[in-house]
Amino acid sequence: VATFEFEINDAEVAYDLYYNIRNSLSYPYHNLYIRHTLEDALGNMINSARQNMDLFDPITGKPLGEGLGDIFDHRILAISNQKFPRNGWYRFKMQQFMRQDSLPLILSVGLRVAVHTDESMDEETE
């Protein structure tokens, strides 16, 4: 389980949370299932979901995302327009939900938290 802690300084605005996924061209699957949970500082769950992300086109096998050589980066929307109940620290947990325990060639995962804008929805069609 990858865990990311971040601070919200303005609970009056909405935020978008993105997965940052880096994989090798040799990753053996076309997709990646992730289960995430978003918690406040006390461990109260705010949001939870399981998501399927295509890293390669399921029909053609063409890699999606931005690539350099055999490494591809993906920024995929996890939660859109999230309002937080108060300023403070929050925890986002990501767990891969594939049938294989350890996923080969997923090189790194990360989280991006950004203020929600109307354009946020447009930029996440990968």
Side-chain angles (χ1 to χ4, degrees):
V1 177
T3 302
F4 304 92
E5 293 186 357
F6 59 94
E7 186 175 13
I8 295 297
N9 294 315
D10 186 358
E12 298 296 317
V13 300
Y15 293 86
D16 295 325
L17 285 74
Y18 297 91
Y19 301 111
N20 288 327
I21 308 290
R22 177 173 285 165
N23 67 283
S24 168
L25 188 59
S26 300
Y27 177 67
Y29 306 104
H30 75 84
N31 66 338
L32 174 63
Y33 281 98
I34 289 184
R35 176 177 290 285
H36 75 249
T37 56
L38 175 63
E39 303 171 345
D40 65 16
L42 300 174
N44 299 314
M45 189 181 321
I46 296 171
N47 185 300
S48 178
R50 186 178 71 193
Q51 293 175 292
N52 177 30
M53 295 169 262
D54 285 327
L55 305 180
F56 298 87
D57 184 288
I59 296 171
T60 67
K62 178 183 175 196
L64 303 173
E66 295 185 16
L68 182 61
D70 69 340
I71 306 296
F72 284 82
D73 293 316
H74 309 266
R75 185 176 68 192
I76 300 169
L77 188 63
I79 303 172
S80 177
N81 207 16
Q82 175 68 50
K83 293 285 283 186
F84 291 90
R86 66 190 65 77
N87 292 350
W89 287 92
Y90 291 87
R91 186 176 305 113
F92 187 84
K93 297 179 182 178
M94 296 169 35
Q95 181 176 11
Q96 68 95 352
F97 212 68
M98 302 289 283
R99 293 177 190 219
Q100 187 172 351
D101 257 349
S102 178
L103 287 180
L105 304 171
I106 293 292
L107 306 174
S108 66
V109 296
L111 175 70
R112 177 174 179 248
V113 180
V115 173
H116 175 79
T117 64
D118 291 333
E119 292 81 39
S120 300
M121 295 305 292
D122 296 334
E123 69 184 34
E124 286 314 308
T125 53
E126 245 189 285

